[in-house]
Amino acid sequence: MNKKFLSAILFGALMVTSTGTFVSCKDYDDDIDEINKELTEIKSQIAALESAVNNGDYVTGVTPTADGKGMIFTFSKGSPVTVTLNVKDGEPGESAQKITFDEKTGEMLVDNKPTGIFPAKDAEKAPVKIEGGYWAVLNDKGEYDVTEIPVSGVTAVVTDGICTLTVFNADGTTTVVELPTTSSTITELEVVGYLDAKGDFTAFSDAASHDNKYEMGYSAFYTATKAPWEWVDADESQKVKGEIAAKTGVVSLAGQSLVIRVAPASADLSTVAMSLVNSKMDEAPITLGTPEAFKGLVTRAASANGLWAIPLSSKELTGLNALTDLTGKFGGEIEDDEFNIAFAVKTPNFLSNFNLAFNKVELDAVSASLNKKKLVEATQKGSTNIYESTSGTEDNAYVIVKQGTPNTFTFDVPTSVYKSQIIVDEYIAQNWGVVIDGNSFTVNKYNDKQTIPSFPVYFNYIQLTETGIKSVTQTVWVRMERTIKDQVVLDPVNHIIPAKAADDKFTVSLDKMFNEMTAEERVNWNKFAHDIVTVIKQVNPDGDDITVTGFDDDNIAYLTADNKPATSALNIAKLQFIPNHEWNQETYPFDKEYYIVSDFEDENGDVLSSVKIPLTVGIPALSTLLQKEQVVFGGTNNGTGVLNEMDYASDNNAVFYSLKYAFKNQLKDAFENENTVKFIIDPQQKIEGNPVVDLAHMGTGEKRTGVNQAIVLDDKEKAYNTPINILIDGETTKYVGKYTWSDKEIKDNAFTIKIVSPIEQGIVEAASGDIIEVVATEDGTAKLTDADLTTKTYAKVEYNIFKDKFKDNETTADLWTSPYMKGISFKSMNENTIKAIANEDIKPATKVKDTVTPGYVVLRPMNVAYEGTTEVEVKVTDVWGYAKTATVKVKVLAEKE
């Protein structure tokens, strides 16, 4: 290593694959002061690299700086770090040097230019290394031959997932920093499925029954003689030639890309070299291309969900035994109870499970389709192996394509197809902006928007057969759809089905679609608009969206700006959807997402413009029909139902409580417009070991309601004043007689309620709050009246305990004003002071003309030497048989003179 090399300067870098791609840089100034300064800068830059690694970060890429005099290390989380020194113009190191290897031939390239050097391949040794400041390449003997290609003073080499940065210092020493790369961070690889030519994903959702491995179909082909082909466009200005060499075997796979999941999900697999290997670490005859983020789910460069698609292509095996070798590497057809070779995905640092196998299928006839429309079958041209067909004509296009939308050719038997190629005439490709990507093409611009002529697309492929290859060219005439405006997505609609069918509709404005058109586009739209086609779709995350059926033209209306029926496409301003209670909930559940698409077409059926209306459909929340009364539930789900006179039934004093009194509007909303709500007692609930359904049942309440929703207490003691669980019967509870609520909503509207008497839960006490003083009359008795007592119901409503209601022309009351009263009794708790109280001692109110004397109970005190108080029990019984019993203190005073 000479002094000039020791003073080399960093200029650029290139990340390498596991086969050993290297990056390096060139000279810097000999001035010692400048060297010291720049070494100080490099030390700080290397320190920044080491800091990133120490913080758990890893390298995701190395790229040259814009001036080619430095290298930029990018990290998965942290900021990029640039390692660079100054290079004077004209000195070595001014330009970047890049060392790579041709993927097919293995030739060493310098700045993408061939060198004529072909390093040998060895699993244990790198293809090149540095010796004496020059690149040395591996020869067939496993030794290194030094080339005349110089190496710069800083190199970055990636092997086995580690990026080794080497800086050659001016004093002859080296500084080495090892940086982890994406490959070294991988902790998990899982094969999850594959993509076909259209990009549709097939999941390996369950391992195959054979040895618990996933299976992908493949076919093997062998040709003893050379099998050439040539494909051209109309004027033969474009030619694509190829051949399968004599004595060559190839495979054709069911999938075009393998889909794998990586952990951590942030790992960028696009920088990681991978291969398929068996348990002996022998590679499958398949090349794995550069991984791409699975675009079906993500669009970022690093797949946010850890899913990556890896292109698959066949390697060619040559020799008389090529077919046998292929089958030997893959395994043959898997029969019952047979096993096949298992493969794993291998990176420089990680190996997935060996759970991918290939099942050999026989070669078969092939049919091609464009956008799922089958093409006309190709026929043989003379006695050659060339097969041709034409689908459509210049005047009658076979497939209509949308601007900017990929159009994909697919095969029904992909395992019988080897190569494929789309060709479009250069003039057409240029003027219509045709871009070809594999088996797909996209038309990006209009060449003639007035006539929109058809043009041919040539789809060529090699079909593998048992007797040789077929070179197939299928010409398809396509035409651009006359699109004036891309689809416009309107504001989402959350349609809650109203109670009345006549109100079941909603209207959306089309202003957004028209407002996004230019003046010229609106003129063209008015000129060509002819028909409207509206469909409703259910979003299907697992495949094609589902068309909602059951609606016809009567369910869709097109209106003018003033809400009148539109007479043509030209005066349409609004779209109205009229379900009319015809939405089929069983087929199209409310918990799914839907959308309405209206396509405005010209007379040829081309979509000029389109609107999409995201749609959700539902019914009012069950809780809006069952709004609980605050006075019953107190803002909770636990209520107290107080018996009332409207539910009183005279037969056997049966205890009813109509649930309508527990809800606002007395359950009117829940039972009008054919709504039905059925309450049931929880069959699992028990009280003191007794099933509640044996103690109470749902029956008929107050007969004027017409609502058969009352709680009936069969056991008036055990079921009384105890919370009863009330559930909603989800099967019979329906909105407008046909729609049902979700199980969760049904469950969420359950509640408890305890039934109590307004009398038994009320108040009976001395009006004075302590002792009731009554005055003895001249006959020695005293009277206890309603004025001496405070009697209130559960709702704090005062009532009289003595009969106080008169029939017509009667002077003695024989009823109670309170509808809850049934009877009253008194008991002296000390007959030594107040004699026993008989029923005849209880007197109702009387009336003389307009003067009413309140009712009372006669108290007969004993002759005693001194005054004292006596406890008297008061028992008030209601119409349901429940009683309120209270004890009051009474003092009888001598008659005042």
Side-chain angles (χ1 to χ4, degrees):
M1 187 178 294
N2 57 29
K3 183 179 178 182
K4 187 63 177 178
F5 178 73
L6 285 174
S7 62
I9 184 171
L10 172 67
F11 69 91
L14 171 72
M15 288 293 292
V16 304
T17 68
S18 59
T19 58
T21 303
F22 293 78
V23 203
S24 58
C25 29
K26 292 200 172 182
D27 301 4
Y28 60 86
D29 201 294
D30 286 334
D31 182 79
I32 298 300
D33 292 336
E34 187 69 17
I35 289 176
N36 290 335
K37 175 184 176 183
E38 292 175 356
L39 285 178
T40 300
E41 292 177 354
I42 280 190
K43 288 181 180 179
S44 65
Q45 293 161 358
I46 290 177
L49 294 175
E50 292 176 326
S51 174
V53 173
N54 291 336
N55 288 328
D57 215 339
Y58 60 89
V59 174
T60 58
V62 182
T63 55
T65 57
D67 59 6
K69 300 175 182 180
M71 67 170 76
I72 303 172
F73 291 82
T74 55
F75 289 86
S76 64
K77 293 178 288 187
S79 301
V81 175
T82 300
V83 179
T84 184
L85 290 174
N86 293 324
V87 178
K88 297 179 180 179
D89 292 340
E91 289 191 351
E94 176 184 0
S95 301
Q97 179 193 48
K98 182 170 65 176
I99 307 296
T100 56
F101 303 93
D102 187 277
E103 292 182 359
K104 295 182 179 179
T105 66
E107 182 178 9
M108 180 178 176
L109 307 177
V110 177
D111 293 335
N112 297 324
K113 297 178 181 180
T115 62
I117 300 173
F118 296 85
K121 295 182 179 180
D122 189 308
E124 301 297 328
K125 296 182 178 181
V128 295
K129 70 174 185 177
I130 303 169
E131 286 190 9
Y134 291 86
W135 291 110
V137 299
L138 186 67
N139 61 30
D140 293 335
K141 298 178 181 180
E143 301 172 347
Y144 287 92
D145 298 326
V146 179
T147 71
E148 296 182 355
I149 303 173
V151 180
S152 8
V154 176
T155 66
V157 181
V158 175
T159 54
D160 295 332
I162 300 297
C163 174
T164 302
L165 174 67
T166 304
V167 179
F168 295 88
N169 301 318
D171 60 1
T173 63
T174 58
T175 301
V176 178
V177 180
E178 291 189 345
L179 307 171
T181 66
T182 301
S183 177
S184 64
T185 66
I186 293 175
T187 59
E188 186 178 356
L189 284 175
E190 178 189 8
V191 179
V192 297
Y194 63 88
L195 302 178
D196 60 18
K198 184 174 173 53
D200 290 337
F201 175 67
T202 299
F204 289 139
S205 55
D206 296 303
S209 60
H210 306 98
D211 201 23
N212 195 34
K213 292 189 286 289
Y214 298 131
E215 296 174 6
M216 180 188 292
Y218 85 97
S219 292
F221 172 81
Y222 176 80
T223 179
T225 60
K226 184 172 66 174
W229 64 84
E230 179 178 286
W231 300 320
V232 299
D233 61 0
D235 61 3
E236 299 189 4
S237 60
Q238 298 183 77
K239 292 184 180 181
V240 177
K241 294 183 179 182
E243 66 176 34
I244 302 177
K247 302 176 184 178
T248 298
V250 296
V251 294
S252 182
L253 301 168
Q256 287 207 345
S257 294
L258 199 63
V259 178
I260 66 173
R261 182 184 63 82
V262 64
S266 59
D268 184 358
L269 284 192
S270 64
T271 64
V272 179
M274 289 182 285
S275 59
L276 282 178
V277 297
N278 61 26
S279 58
K280 294 182 178 180
M281 304 309 289
D282 295 330
E283 288 193 18
I286 295 175
T287 298
L288 299 186
T290 301
E292 296 180 354
F294 185 15
K295 295 181 179 179
L297 297 178
V298 296
T299 56
R300 301 191 328 185
S303 177
N305 57 4
L307 291 176
W308 293 81
I310 309 173
L312 304 171
S313 60
S314 173
K315 293 180 180 178
E316 296 181 354
L317 297 185
T318 59
L320 291 173
N321 298 320
L323 185 60
T324 303
D325 290 344
L326 279 175
T327 305
K329 288 180 178 293
F330 273 119
E333 182 178 359
I334 302 177
E335 302 289 349
D336 292 338
D337 300 323
E338 289 186 355
F339 305 104
N340 221 339
I341 298 173
F343 290 89
V345 177
K346 180 182 180 297
T347 73
N349 298 81
F350 195 85
L351 194 66
S352 73
N353 290 334
F354 288 92
N355 60 358
L356 176 62
F358 294 88
N359 182 21
K360 186 175 182 294
V361 297
E362 297 301 322
L363 296 171
D364 203 351
V366 176
S367 293
S369 300
L370 175 58
N371 295 350
K372 297 185 178 181
K373 186 174 183 180
K374 187 176 179 180
L375 305 183
V376 174
E377 185 178 353
T379 58
Q380 188 175 11
K381 182 179 179 182
S383 59
T384 68
N385 70 338
I386 298 174
Y387 287 73
E388 298 176 339
S389 73
T390 300
S391 299
T393 65
E394 185 174 4
D395 297 326
N396 185 19
Y398 192 72
V399 175
I400 308 300
V401 300
K402 292 180 178 291
Q403 182 182 15
T405 300
N407 306 280
T408 304
F409 290 97
T410 55
F411 304 103
D412 60 345
V413 187
T415 52
S416 293
V417 177
Y418 178 55
K419 298 276 189 184
S420 59
Q421 177 73 50
I422 298 174
I423 298 178
V424 176
D425 293 323
E426 290 178 315
Y427 172 83
I428 292 173
Q430 178 180 352
N431 287 281
W432 290 88
V434 179
V435 175
I436 297 172
D437 181 11
N439 282 359
S440 298
F441 69 94
T442 304
V443 186
N444 292 301
K445 64 182 181 180
Y446 286 93
N447 184 42
D448 181 349
K449 247 187 178 178
Q450 296 300 314
T451 61
I452 312 184
S454 301
F455 59 84
V457 175
Y458 311 104
F459 183 50
N460 311 277
Y461 56 92
I462 297 300
Q463 179 181 343
L464 305 177
T465 73
E466 295 293 345
T467 58
I469 69 167
K470 290 182 179 180
S471 176
V472 183
T473 297
Q474 296 191 275
T475 302
V476 186
W477 285 90
V478 302
R479 179 174 62 81
M480 277 272 282
E481 188 174 58
R482 190 196 300 275
T483 300
I484 290 177
K485 199 68 185 176
D486 292 339
Q487 186 179 79
V488 174
V489 180
L490 304 183
D491 292 337
V493 173
N494 179 27
H495 179 61
I496 302 300
I497 299 174
K500 295 181 179 179
D503 298 331
D504 190 13
K505 56 188 175 183
F506 63 85
T507 304
V508 295
S509 171
L510 301 177
D511 286 349
K512 185 177 180 180
M513 179 185 75
F514 292 121
N515 290 341
E516 291 190 7
M517 293 183 187
T518 65
E520 179 184 1
E521 287 173 338
R522 186 59 194 268
V523 169
N524 288 331
W525 193 94
N526 290 341
K527 178 180 179 181
F528 294 111
H530 186 266
D531 292 315
I532 311 169
V533 176
T534 298
V535 295
I536 306 171
K537 295 277 190 177
Q538 176 185 329
V539 176
N540 178 20
D542 299 323
D544 294 337
D545 291 344
I546 302 167
T547 300
V548 175
T549 60
F551 298 106
D552 53 29
D553 292 344
D554 292 335
N555 300 106
I556 300 292
Y558 305 100
L559 308 176
T560 62
D562 54 359
N563 295 316
K564 295 180 180 179
T567 55
S568 72
L570 301 182
N571 59 6
I572 287 177
K574 300 176 182 179
L575 182 150
Q576 188 176 71
F577 179 44
I578 312 169
N580 196 33
H581 284 186
E582 294 173 9
W583 187 274
N584 188 332
Q585 180 190 9
E586 183 176 353
T587 306
Y588 309 110
F590 293 146
D591 60 352
K592 303 296 183 182
E593 294 182 354
Y594 303 87
Y595 59 88
I596 300 174
V597 171
S598 283
D599 292 333
F600 297 85
E601 300 178 346
D602 67 7
E603 59 184 0
N604 295 322
D606 288 0
V607 178
L608 303 176
S609 63
S610 177
V611 292
K612 178 179 180 180
I613 308 165
L615 173 65
T616 52
V617 181
I619 56 178
L622 182 56
S623 59
T624 64
L625 304 184
L626 302 177
Q627 297 187 55
K628 298 178 178 67
E629 284 285 4
Q630 173 68 21
V631 295
V632 176
F633 289 95
T636 72
N637 280 331
N638 305 309
T640 299
V642 182
L643 295 169
N644 61 77
E645 73 274 18
M646 298 300 292
D647 278 344
Y648 171 65
S650 60
D651 52 325
N652 300 318
N653 294 335
V655 181
F656 293 87
Y657 180 77
S658 290
L659 287 175
K660 73 172 189 174
Y661 299 117
F663 295 91
K664 293 182 179 180
N665 206 20
Q666 295 195 346
L667 288 177
K668 179 181 178 182
D669 296 336
F671 291 94
E672 68 177 0
N673 300 308
E674 300 185 40
N675 296 339
T676 57
V677 177
K678 184 176 180 180
F679 301 101
I680 59 175
I681 295 174
D682 183 359
Q684 305 300 319
Q685 184 186 10
K686 292 184 179 182
I687 296 176
E688 297 179 355
N690 302 296
V692 177
V693 292
D694 293 340
L695 307 178
H697 70 277
M698 298 302 301
T700 303
E702 194 273 305
K703 293 180 172 54
R704 283 176 287 175
T705 67
V707 177
N708 187 23
Q709 301 287 306
I711 299 176
V712 183
L713 303 188
D714 299 311
D715 190 317
K716 296 167 58 174
E717 300 302 323
K718 292 180 180 178
Y720 177 77
N721 197 18
T722 299
I724 297 175
N725 299 340
I726 303 298
L727 311 180
I728 312 295
D729 183 4
E731 293 186 2
T732 57
T733 297
K734 295 186 177 181
Y735 179 65
V736 299
K738 64 188 303 184
Y739 299 118
T740 58
W741 285 272
S742 68
D743 292 343
K744 182 180 184 303
E745 195 163 3
I746 290 292
K747 182 179 179 180
D748 289 346
N749 278 274
F751 57 91
T752 70
I753 191 166
K754 61 181 180 181
I755 309 303
V756 298
S757 158
I759 296 291
E760 188 274 334
Q761 289 290 302
I763 297 173
V764 175
E765 61 186 15
S768 63
D770 187 13
I771 300 175
I772 301 173
E773 294 182 344
V774 294
V775 179
T777 61
E778 60 184 13
D779 62 358
T781 64
K783 296 179 180 179
L784 180 68
T785 68
D786 279 307
D788 297 316
L789 298 169
T790 296
T791 51
K792 295 181 181 180
T793 67
Y794 181 78
K796 304 299 188 292
V797 176
E798 293 184 352
Y799 65 95
N800 292 329
I801 63 173
F802 299 103
K803 291 181 178 179
D804 58 352
K805 187 175 182 180
F806 299 89
K807 292 183 179 179
D808 294 341
N809 302 318
E810 295 290 335
T811 59
T812 301
D814 62 353
L815 297 171
W816 283 272
T817 301
S818 170
Y820 310 126
M821 286 294 300
K822 182 67 174 180
I824 185 173
S825 65
F826 294 87
K827 179 181 179 180
S828 172
M829 304 304 292
N830 186 354
E831 294 184 3
N832 289 332
T833 56
I834 295 179
K835 295 180 180 179
I837 304 170
N839 285 336
E840 54 265 27
D841 293 329
I842 302 173
K843 308 296 182 180
T846 57
K847 179 172 64 174
V848 178
K849 294 184 178 181
D850 294 331
T851 301
V852 176
T853 300
Y856 57 91
V857 60
V858 177
L859 302 180
R860 294 179 172 84
M862 295 288 287
N863 291 320
V864 294
Y866 303 98
E867 290 184 346
T869 60
T870 302
E871 290 186 341
V872 175
E873 180 185 88
V874 183
K875 183 178 182 180
V876 182
T877 304
D878 65 18
V879 294
W880 297 281
Y882 297 111
K884 175 68 176 180
T885 301
T887 300
V888 297
K889 295 178 179 180
V890 179
K891 177 187 286 188
V892 180
L893 304 177
E895 182 180 10
K896 296 179 181 180
E897 297 181 357

